[in-house]
Amino acid sequence: DCQEAERCYSQSLELFRRIDDKAGQASCMADLGYLVCRKGDRLLAASLYQESLVLFGELGDRRGIVRGLEGFALLAATGNRPEASLQLAAATEMLRENLRMPGALSPQREMMKRVIDGHREQMGNEAHRLWTTGRAMTIEQAIEFALDCAAQ
């Protein structure tokens, strides 16, 4: 029940803000971003992902940063920006490998993977080049790229 989940995450976010729990806020915003992206509110999703990414960065939470970057990859994937989505998805894949993060697919990652796979099939060699470029990004470069994409 996505509507109920969105309501619960919104309430949780308010509580985390009240007690100034930055980690809780960042995590809630990342999850809430997925829910609103899924229902098509790309502007709100971008805002939530951006604030989440900034908080994860302030906390030095590299795993959280990867979650935020995956949100931006999903936004690009569902927003008809195949080049950006491929680069961000590749960057997050490499960062996950470097951080030894589990490979289980969340609903967000599953949705992103379906769209990315379609882009890769359609774009052929160009997709391979973009994927290689994304995998070569540092975490700082990936953050900058994601925030630049969101600003466009």
Side-chain angles (χ1 to χ4, degrees):
D1 182 352
C2 290
Q3 187 174 1
E4 179 64 11
E6 187 177 338
R7 187 187 67 73
C8 290
Y9 275 113
S10 295
Q11 286 179 341
S12 296
L13 180 56
E14 281 308 309
L15 293 172
F16 283 127
R17 284 184 172 146
R18 240 185 263 162
I19 63 172
D20 199 33
D21 181 331
K22 303 272 190 229
Q25 290 174 55
S27 185
C28 257
M29 285 186 280
D31 293 335
L32 192 54
Y34 165 70
L35 290 171
V36 298
C37 179
R38 185 178 156 164
K39 76 175 189 181
D41 191 342
R42 298 177 44 69
L43 191 59
L44 179 55
S47 174
L48 288 163
Y49 285 138
Q50 182 172 356
E51 194 172 349
S52 174
L53 188 60
V54 168
L55 284 175
F56 280 134
E58 288 173 3
L59 295 167
D61 183 342
R62 297 171 75 80
R63 291 172 180 256
I65 290 169
V66 171
R67 285 182 59 203
L69 290 171
E70 286 173 342
F72 280 106
L74 176 62
L75 275 177
T78 59
N80 200 26
R81 300 199 52 206
E83 295 86 2
S85 68
L86 285 166
Q87 286 180 284
L88 285 168
T92 62
E93 179 184 85
M94 178 57 91
L95 293 169
R96 276 185 168 279
E97 290 171 12
N98 290 342
L99 295 171
R100 293 177 175 81
M101 289 177 72
L105 289 181
S106 65
Q108 175 175 295
R109 288 183 64 215
E110 285 181 23
M111 184 178 179
M112 182 181 67
K113 183 181 179 335
R114 282 192 307 274
V115 178
I116 296 290
D117 287 348
H119 290 329
R120 289 175 91 171
E121 193 173 301
Q122 291 172 349
M123 296 177 72
N125 289 340
E126 178 64 6
H128 177 73
R129 185 190 67 74
L130 291 165
W131 195 261
T132 301
T133 301
R135 284 185 60 87
M137 287 183 189
T138 64
I139 196 164
E140 293 80 12
Q141 291 168 328
I143 292 169
E144 184 178 336
F145 184 74
L147 294 176
D148 285 347
C149 287
Q152 296 176 2

